[in-house]
Amino acid sequence: MVGCEGNKPVEQKPKQEKAQEVSAKIDVVFDDLTSKLGIAHTYLNGEESNEMSILQTIGGGVAAFDYDRDGWDDLFFPGGGALKDKTISGLVGSLWQSRSGKNFLNVSSLAGTDLVSKYTHGATSGDLNSDGFSDLLITGYDGLQLFINQGDGTFVESALASGLNDSVWSTSAAFGDFDSDGFLDIYIAHYVNWSFSNHPPCKSLSVPDVCAPGNFDAFDDLVYHNNGNGTFSAKTTELGLVKGGKGLGVMVADFDRDSKSDIYVANDTTNNFYYENQGGMFKEMGLASGTAVDDLGSPQGSMGLCILDYDQDLMADIWVCNYENQAFALYKNDGQSNYRYVTSATGLMALGTTYVAFGTASGDFDSDGDEDVVVANGHVMQFHQGGGNSSQNPLYLTNTGKKRFTRQLFPESEYFGKKWRGRGVVAFDLDHDGDLDLSFSHVNQPSVILENKSQTSNQWWILELIGTQSNRDAIGASLVFKSNQRSILRNVVGGGSYLSQNPYYIHVGLPADEKLEEVEILWPTGMRQKLTGLVANTRTQIVEPQVSQ
């Protein structure tokens, strides 16, 4: 059971805030365009086998990336797998090519991504060989699949040939240039030592159900170092990685703005990891930084992750999705790798603790200058305290601009008003209209694409950074947008959400009466670049200068 501590009911948190924090005002509007766009994909977990295995609880993610470099985001969904007669098999994922945002074509066979060798979970994209084309990494049970983009619309599966010989159960992965050599390395989050030979009977509410992660030992995570020649080398303790973890989510970003990519890992019922990059070596500082546990000192069943500067103090804060009977965690960055747990102070206790929260995305969905948060929810147990089935409402949380969040409610006929078995979610600009749209993945339910139809006169900018001395995707870069009224921080993030990858471009919005005066980019090399004169409501590519400015 993902995120559950044993098979006993977990004690409820003390006193929650009053429900008036939940707002019925609808400001942001989403339209389900899945059918219109021609997308038809369902992640399957083999539930019909009645095995009640922890493997079936993990689900699948989604990656949004422009694989063919035509300027439009394409989508990849892992397929999952099947269980029959104590045998585990994989199902084909699907790659959907965007046709100018108007519709999508399933090009899995044409592109060569329809090879099936694993029971799959996660999808991560990025330019691993710096050739200008995004590659695709698929995580799952018993190993990895790596699809190297050939630049002609096709991929070649190259995991073993590239040295990615990991045979351990992997969940989320994230790319980042950990040694600042210009090539993307890979962090692999591993889960628990489950197999059909280690498949004990378990119960929930006195009824047979999925076993909790506490019934299994943790696998150690690892980093694959990019050798710069198309191959990778596995690294663990020599880089400072610690043992154990039961990892479900991971994200890479420059949390302390020292031009070195740090790592945060969401672990299931064990302390979360905060790896501070100290020049190619990592120091695990979860407890020391205040990001390992909640305000009571307890580890959580953590899953989805995102980074945002919720209070606009130009320091990157960490948002963590947790299991039922546990609140969402928001860790405020106070600088110098020190964080405070501010869940209660930001109004998040008003959401209650009934959600099993997985994928999450931060973004300025209403282009008003601050970042809101979206969450995909869905239970993993067949029998649980909340009753009913495993479906739960997703959440849209509005940043009030006053260091607090409120939930926006939607009609029951709309996506956010319905219940789903949610897992991954990404935010991307589907149709090039400058606002952020969404793609959700579910378990045994069709994936969904939502177009942001919000009516606003606010301005927006989208910047795509192209590294030359830095890694080509500029993962680890941070940007400060300076208007005549405020400064706004954005980060280029590897991984995040849950089993998923957002595009690497940066979106920012401002009210109509504000003027953007300057953007300062801190590239992963440490070089600072200042831009002025950026035109509102445009998408712009920024190529890293070859020399310092």
Side-chain angles (χ1 to χ4, degrees):
M1 176 171 55
V2 178
C4 181
E5 302 173 10
N7 292 304
K8 296 180 180 180
V10 181
E11 183 178 356
Q12 290 279 356
K13 293 278 185 182
K15 189 179 179 180
Q16 298 181 10
E17 297 183 20
K18 295 182 180 179
Q20 63 257 28
E21 286 297 330
V22 178
S23 171
K25 182 179 179 182
I26 299 178
D27 295 318
V28 177
V29 178
F30 292 100
D31 188 11
D32 186 342
L33 291 189
T34 312
S35 297
K36 181 180 178 181
L37 293 171
I39 290 179
H41 176 86
T42 300
Y43 180 93
L44 301 175
N45 71 346
E47 193 170 71
E48 68 279 0
S49 67
N50 294 316
E51 286 290 352
M52 296 185 182
S53 71
I54 193 171
L55 174 66
Q56 296 163 281
T57 67
I58 301 300
V62 53
F65 67 113
D66 180 10
Y67 88 92
D68 54 2
R69 297 299 298 170
D70 67 350
W72 299 85
D73 288 322
D74 311 299
L75 296 169
F76 180 85
F77 298 93
L83 291 78
K84 185 177 181 181
D85 299 327
K86 307 299 181 184
T87 299
I88 302 169
S89 59
L91 296 174
V92 176
S94 58
L95 176 64
W96 296 86
Q97 182 187 52
S98 175
R99 300 299 182 90
S100 301
K102 296 182 175 65
N103 55 71
F104 285 76
L105 178 67
N106 189 338
V107 295
S108 306
S109 179
L110 291 172
T113 61
D114 59 342
L115 301 177
V116 181
S117 63
K118 312 290 181 185
Y119 185 117
T120 56
H121 295 305
T124 307
S125 57
D127 190 354
L128 292 171
N129 53 12
S130 299
D131 66 352
F133 292 91
S134 291
D135 309 301
L136 182 64
L137 178 70
I138 312 301
T139 63
Y141 187 83
D142 200 33
L144 306 169
Q145 290 180 278
L146 175 63
F147 291 95
I148 298 296
N149 195 328
Q150 303 300 293
D152 59 0
T154 68
F155 293 81
V156 173
E157 204 291 310
S158 307
L160 293 180
S162 300
L164 303 186
N165 56 357
D166 182 27
S167 61
V168 174
W169 184 5
S170 55
T171 53
S172 291
F175 296 162
D177 182 7
F178 303 135
D179 54 359
S180 301
D181 65 353
F183 290 97
L184 290 176
D185 310 301
I186 308 171
Y187 189 100
I188 304 292
H190 286 146
Y191 198 41
V192 298
N193 187 17
W194 173 89
S195 66
F196 273 122
S197 61
N198 183 26
H199 184 39
C202 295
K203 293 184 177 181
S204 176
L205 303 180
S206 302
V207 179
D209 213 325
V210 178
C211 287
N215 288 274
F216 307 98
D217 294 330
F219 283 128
D220 300 336
D221 295 347
L222 65 80
V223 165
Y224 275 110
H225 173 259
N226 191 330
N227 298 321
N229 60 1
T231 68
F232 295 82
S233 301
K235 306 289 183 181
T236 53
T237 55
E238 61 266 45
L239 293 183
L241 303 190
V242 299
K243 295 285 187 178
K246 302 182 182 180
L248 287 176
V250 58
M251 63 180 174
V252 172
D254 182 7
F255 294 110
D256 49 10
R257 301 192 69 201
D258 64 353
S259 299
K260 301 180 184 70
S261 288
D262 311 299
I263 305 169
Y264 188 81
V265 184
N267 290 319
D268 194 0
T269 71
T270 63
N271 289 359
N272 292 343
F273 297 148
Y274 180 95
Y275 285 111
E276 183 183 80
N277 191 332
Q278 300 186 331
M281 290 287 296
F282 292 97
K283 182 177 181 180
E284 202 291 299
M285 299 181 60
L287 285 173
S289 67
T291 61
V293 294
D294 68 4
D295 56 337
L296 300 179
S298 300
Q300 305 292 284
S302 297
M303 292 166 283
L305 300 169
C306 68
I307 184 173
L308 72 161
D309 180 15
Y310 83 97
D311 54 357
Q312 297 195 340
D313 63 355
L314 301 185
M315 289 187 281
D317 311 305
I318 297 174
W319 170 276
V320 184
C321 293
N322 292 318
Y323 192 74
E324 180 183 54
N325 295 322
Q326 300 166 0
F328 292 94
L330 179 56
Y331 298 100
K332 172 179 164 50
N333 190 339
D334 286 329
Q336 299 182 326
S337 296
N338 292 308
Y339 293 77
R340 278 184 290 144
Y341 185 92
V342 294
T343 295
S344 181
T346 51
L348 295 172
M349 286 303 294
L351 299 172
T353 57
T354 61
Y355 296 104
V356 178
F358 283 94
T360 187
S362 58
D364 189 359
F365 295 94
D366 49 9
S367 294
D368 66 349
D370 51 41
E371 292 173 282
D372 313 300
V373 177
V374 170
V375 182
N377 301 302
H379 220 292
V380 301
M381 303 296 292
Q382 295 187 32
F383 303 96
H384 51 89
Q385 296 177 41
N389 59 31
S390 300
S391 298
Q392 295 184 326
N393 288 108
L395 297 174
Y396 180 88
L397 305 177
T398 300
N399 188 329
T400 67
K402 300 178 180 179
K403 303 180 182 181
R404 295 178 72 83
F405 291 88
T406 62
R407 178 185 176 187
Q408 180 177 314
L409 296 180
F410 293 77
E412 292 184 0
S413 60
E414 297 182 8
Y415 178 84
F416 279 92
K418 299 177 183 178
K419 294 185 177 182
W420 304 87
R421 298 176 69 178
R423 290 300 186 267
V425 60
V426 295
F428 67 112
D429 184 13
L430 163 75
D431 45 8
H432 286 201
D433 65 352
D435 55 29
L436 292 175
D437 311 296
L438 294 166
S439 177
F440 285 85
S441 67
H442 310 106
V443 174
N444 299 330
Q445 296 173 327
S447 299
V448 169
I449 315 299
L450 301 182
E451 181 189 6
N452 189 338
K453 300 286 286 185
S454 307
Q455 298 298 313
T456 175
S457 61
N458 294 340
Q459 313 164 80
W460 57 269
W461 292 260
I462 290 179
L463 302 186
E464 179 188 359
L465 305 189
I466 300 177
T468 55
Q469 300 172 84
S470 304
N471 67 86
R472 189 174 178 87
D473 292 308
I475 298 170
S478 59
L479 300 85
V480 175
F481 294 77
K482 300 178 181 179
S483 80
N484 58 334
Q485 297 187 32
R486 67 178 112 182
S487 294
I488 298 172
L489 174 69
R490 293 290 186 269
N491 293 82
V492 183
V493 180
S497 187
Y498 175 75
L499 311 174
S500 301
Q501 179 63 61
N502 294 280
Y504 294 117
Y505 51 72
I506 294 297
H507 169 274
V508 72
L510 284 174
D513 60 351
E514 287 192 41
K515 179 182 179 181
L516 180 64
E517 297 178 337
E518 177 184 280
V519 180
E520 181 177 85
I521 303 172
L522 177 60
W523 291 88
T525 57
M527 182 181 64
R528 294 180 184 272
Q529 179 184 11
K530 292 185 179 181
L531 306 172
T532 58
L534 289 177
V535 178
N537 305 327
T538 58
R539 300 169 65 98
T540 307
Q541 285 188 343
I542 307 296
V543 178
E544 181 182 18
Q546 292 290 337
V547 295
S548 300
Q549 294 190 352

